[in-house]
Amino acid sequence: MKCNQHADRDTQLLVEDAQQKAEEYNMEARRCEGILKRMNLSVGSLSQAGVISLRVIANLALILEVRDTSDTSFLLAMRHLEDEIYKVEEARRKEEKNLEMLMDKIKMAMVKQSHLKKAMDVLEQKAACQQPETEKRTKDIHFIRSKAKEYKDKIHQMQTTLQTLKVDPSIYHNSLVKTSKELEKMQEELSPLQAKLQTYSSLPPDLSSIKVKIEELKVKLADLGNEFNKRIDLMHM
């Protein structure tokens, strides 16, 4: 509604301006007519060239939208028209410059598009060549994932079974490896003790201190042997 009201006011102003110009033209026409009457001339008495000149002046006044047909009004109107022409020329030059810039950008974009198309063609060719290998790797990945899931399910099932049977954790692989290392260490400790025992056994039997030492070694050797046997039995369970 407000836009229509503004448009109506603008239209009314244009109408009033046109009416004012029409009145001014009528006044100028009556003034010219009065001059012609005082000179005993009428429009009908003008020559053809005069009528044509009068029409040209009238049409030019209408085109230039001057208030009267005085030289000043025509000169001012022509000056204003020249200014408008200059502005139009300036705008045209700017548009031409912008158009040239756009054309350069379009050419660059077309070159980039051509390069990208070539790169895309090369990639598509490589993809076509690598398609069988890619499919094979995809199948291998699916197979590996399937087997991994299967093994994981089996491990979970075995762990559940072990928990149900209440299996001693000492027979697990990690425990057996640890026990084996301990046995190797005990064997390393037994070897020098056995050699030392044999040395003491070769001494004369009447030495009481040596006998006590031998007995201590025998007890220690027996303890180590029992521990060794227990570990071996545990590994065989």
Side-chain angles (χ1 to χ4, degrees):
M1 182 186 68
K2 290 182 178 180
C3 290
N4 290 333
Q5 288 176 351
H6 286 298
D8 292 341
R9 284 197 297 269
D10 294 339
T11 304
Q12 185 62 32
L13 291 174
L14 292 175
V15 170
E16 292 176 358
D17 183 67
Q19 290 176 350
Q20 182 179 356
K21 287 182 178 179
E23 182 64 25
E24 290 175 355
Y25 284 130
N26 289 329
M27 291 176 63
E28 181 67 15
R30 287 194 294 271
R31 186 181 69 81
C32 293
E33 186 178 0
I35 294 172
L36 291 175
K37 285 182 178 180
R38 286 195 296 271
M39 297 176 64
N40 295 322
L41 294 175
S42 64
V43 177
S45 64
L46 293 177
S47 63
Q48 186 177 0
V51 173
I52 293 173
S53 298
L54 186 60
R55 288 178 180 176
V56 169
I57 293 173
N59 292 330
L60 184 60
L62 291 174
I63 293 173
L64 296 177
E65 297 181 355
V66 294
R67 293 183 177 275
D68 51 42
T69 57
S70 63
D71 294 342
T72 303
S73 297
F74 279 112
L75 290 175
L76 291 175
M78 292 296 292
R79 181 61 181 177
H80 178 71
L81 184 61
E82 289 177 355
D83 293 339
E84 291 294 328
I85 293 173
Y86 176 78
K87 291 179 181 179
V88 171
E89 288 291 332
E90 187 68 20
R92 184 180 63 82
R93 285 193 293 269
K94 290 181 179 180
E95 290 296 328
E96 288 179 350
K97 187 176 180 180
N98 292 332
L99 182 60
E100 290 178 358
M101 293 174 62
L102 289 175
M103 290 298 295
D104 294 337
K105 290 181 178 180
I106 291 172
K107 290 179 181 179
M108 292 176 63
M110 292 178 66
V111 172
K112 290 181 179 179
Q113 182 185 8
S114 178
H115 291 167
L116 290 174
K117 188 176 183 304
K118 291 180 180 178
M120 182 64 70
D121 294 338
V122 172
L123 290 175
E124 288 179 351
Q125 292 176 0
K126 288 184 178 179
C129 296
Q130 295 176 356
Q131 184 67 24
E133 183 66 21
T134 303
E135 292 178 355
K136 182 178 179 300
R137 291 183 179 179
T138 303
K139 292 180 180 179
D140 293 341
I141 290 172
H142 288 314
F143 175 77
I144 292 171
R145 288 179 177 174
S146 177
K147 296 300 290 184
K149 185 178 183 301
E150 181 181 349
Y151 290 146
K152 186 176 181 180
D153 294 339
K154 286 184 178 181
I155 290 171
H156 179 71
Q157 184 179 358
M158 291 179 180
Q159 288 176 347
T160 304
T161 303
L162 290 175
Q163 291 177 358
T164 303
L165 296 176
K166 297 181 179 180
V167 178
D168 189 0
S170 62
I171 67 172
Y172 291 167
H173 177 72
N174 293 335
S175 299
L176 294 176
V177 171
K178 183 179 180 181
T179 304
S180 176
K181 291 181 179 180
E182 291 177 353
L183 288 174
E184 291 178 358
K185 185 178 181 181
M186 292 176 67
Q187 286 178 347
E188 292 176 357
E189 293 177 355
L190 283 173
S191 296
L193 289 174
Q194 288 176 349
K196 193 173 183 179
L197 180 60
Q198 290 177 1
T199 303
Y200 287 142
S201 298
S202 63
L203 294 174
D206 56 346
L207 299 175
S208 58
S209 61
I210 293 176
K211 288 181 179 180
V212 173
K213 190 68 175 178
I214 290 172
E215 290 299 327
E216 291 177 356
L217 290 174
K218 284 182 178 180
V219 172
K220 188 175 181 179
L221 184 61
D223 293 338
L224 290 174
N226 292 331
E227 183 68 21
F228 184 74
N229 291 329
K230 288 180 181 179
R231 295 297 178 90
I232 291 176
D233 294 337
L234 184 61
M235 292 181 66
H236 291 166
M237 289 179 62

